[in-house]
Amino acid sequence: MASVGSSRVPLIAGNWKMNLDHLQAIAFVQKLAWSLKDARHDFAKTEVAVFPPFTDLRSVQTLISADKLHLRFGAQDVSAHESGAYTGEISAAFLKTLDTPYVIIGHSERRTLHSESDEEVAAKVASAVKHGIVPVICVGETAEDLELHGPSAIPVAQLRAALSQAKFEREPGLTDIVVAYEPVWAIGSGQAATPEQAEQVAAQLRATLTEILGSDVADATRILYGGSVKSSNIAGFMRMPNVDGALVGGASLDIPEFASIAQFLKHVGT
Ligand code: PGA
């Protein structure tokens, strides 16, 4: 399993997408925290983070800090720009002011529904890194890509592109990024990749990180799998050496189900 023998703390991340307003978010985060507490969740062994819509972030941040919850949180997107005439956008500086630890960048829904290019994804990653926010960089192939190019060509090319503009100024071993491999055909389809498919691509992504950022960074970077993850299939993914967690969409909106995914060690049997 990924976490055994490596310094990587698994990350179970819930991408709420456009669900739950800020009032619902407060109730949800409280219940999730209670549910994990009841299950004696060990946050040092598995990190758990929620990714609510922008309008919820302040409420979620305040709740987590006031109640000293061990949950973490992130935004679902960020602007590539610093400030200015960009109606509707939210800068990395704003997210940093809210002590936002993470931001999802390049989710397939943004790439397809908002025509986000690899260059835009790279600029957003650069902005997040500049402001000390950990980017959760999403990569993944469509069913057509899979047929035309095989499993890892597109995710690897997207990762290379996503890292092309960021300036990692800190010590190489401390470069903090998360990569999420999310095959587009598996997102919201109920048809998850097999653990072996996820491992094959995750291993290629790690090799790419080694080439670009060096082996210290590659060894320390969490690579998540995303796409129809449930409590019934999480164990298979987490047994894979290069899969260090999951980016969960639909199932992250169901508290018992998401808590059960976060408790994957119970399913793995360790
Ligand atoms: P899903 O979504 O778990 O509903 O397939 C995953 C994602 O979009 O991050």
Side-chain angles (χ1 to χ4, degrees), residues 15 17 107 182 186-188 227-228 247-250:
N15 174 11
K17 309 192 180 183
H107 188 280
E182 298 207 303
I187 295 176
S228 298
L247 184 54
V248 186

Side-chain angles (χ1 to χ4, degrees), residues 141 146 149-158 181 200-202 204-205 208:
E141 81 288 358
L146 184 63
H149 308 286
S152 49
I154 299 293
V156 163
Q158 287 176 339
Y181 168 52
Q200 187 188 358
V201 178
Q204 290 299 317
L205 293 172
T208 307

Side-chain angles (χ1 to χ4, degrees), residues 104-249:
I104 294 173
I105 297 178
H107 188 280
S108 79
E109 284 148 21
R110 296 221 54 93
R111 291 180 190 262
T112 51
L113 304 174
H114 300 269
S115 314
E116 246 181 56
S117 65
D118 280 346
E119 291 69 31
E120 224 169 327
V121 168
K124 290 180 174 192
V125 169
S127 186
V129 168
K130 180 176 170 202
H131 289 277
I133 302 171
V134 176
V136 178
I137 303 168
C138 297
V139 298
E141 81 288 358
T142 62
E144 201 189 354
D145 292 334
L146 184 63
E147 204 137 287
L148 288 174
H149 308 286
S152 49
I154 299 293
V156 163
Q158 287 176 339
L159 180 59
R160 277 185 200 286
L163 294 173
S164 63
Q165 294 182 31
K167 287 194 180 57
F168 297 103
E169 278 164 6
R170 290 174 298 161
E171 308 226 335
L174 294 177
T175 303
D176 215 0
I177 57 171
V178 173
V179 179
Y181 168 52
E182 298 207 303
V184 179
W185 47 269
I187 295 176
S189 67
Q191 179 74 57
T194 64
E196 292 73 20
Q197 281 175 311
E199 170 60 20
Q200 187 188 358
V201 178
Q204 290 299 317
L205 293 172
R206 201 175 301 286
T208 307
L209 289 173
T210 305
E211 192 192 309
I212 300 173
L213 297 170
S215 60
D216 284 357
V217 173
D219 289 347
T221 298
R222 274 98 47 98
I223 300 180
L224 316 182
Y225 166 76
S228 298
V229 170
K230 301 185 275 255
S231 59
S232 56
N233 63 19
I234 185 68
F237 294 111
M238 296 309 291
R239 284 195 192 100
M240 295 293 136
N242 282 294
V243 178
D244 309 306
L247 184 54
V248 186

